[in-house]
Amino acid sequence: MDLLTLQPNTLTVDLKHPATGEPLGVTVELRSLESDEVKAVERGIKNRALKSGRNAVSAEKIDDNTTALLSAAIVSWTFSGDANLGGDKKPACTDANKRKLLAVPAIAKQIDLALGDEAAFFVSSASA
């Protein structure tokens, strides 16, 4: 196997209700935290932090940076059934809508957990 061809795939996650485990009717496609798109956001965050100097980090900024990284990892989504985002049953996968979705802590945690499973991004390529 040519190691230079080892690249992560996207991962599809069915979001679930935190209490019941029942599907919420939202499927999210995620790219790896190692993808070029997410790395570009991460580098931007680091560059801004380096330019601002010491002691310029707040808890709010850390939360905002986390949301930016999670948002960059979302490629697309599908809403079905009664699932909606503020009344919109077919919300566009825009940065603003990603932030709305990620403002729900239980959903942000599910996406964060899925992104932490690096092996899951390579499952289908291992069988190829």
Side-chain angles (χ1 to χ4, degrees):
M1 169 185 214
D2 183 354
L3 298 181
L4 298 178
T5 64
L6 188 60
Q7 298 293 320
N9 297 304
T10 59
L11 174 66
T12 302
V13 176
D14 293 320
L15 299 178
K16 299 189 183 327
H17 190 284
T20 65
E22 292 295 316
L24 292 173
V26 181
T27 302
V28 181
E29 181 182 8
L30 303 173
R31 61 176 58 99
S32 167
L33 291 175
E34 300 303 321
S35 69
D36 292 340
E37 296 85 352
V38 177
K39 285 295 189 185
V41 171
E42 183 180 30
R43 282 190 294 276
I45 290 168
K46 288 177 181 178
N47 285 334
R48 284 189 298 279
L50 289 169
K51 286 179 186 175
S52 65
R54 300 180 94 185
N55 302 323
V57 177
S58 65
E60 293 81 8
K61 191 63 180 165
I62 291 170
D63 287 346
D64 190 49
N65 291 343
T66 300
T67 299
L69 289 172
L70 295 178
S71 182
I74 298 173
V75 176
S76 65
W77 58 41
T78 304
F79 280 64
S80 61
D82 291 334
N84 67 82
L85 189 62
D88 188 352
K89 289 188 144 222
K90 301 264 185 219
C93 191
T94 63
D95 285 338
N97 282 342
K98 289 176 185 180
R99 286 186 173 276
K100 286 180 190 176
L101 184 71
L102 293 168
V104 179
I107 290 175
K109 286 178 187 176
Q110 287 179 56
I111 290 172
D112 190 36
L113 282 171
L115 290 169
D117 185 3
E118 184 178 2
F121 288 94
F122 293 92
V123 170
S124 56
S125 64
S127 60

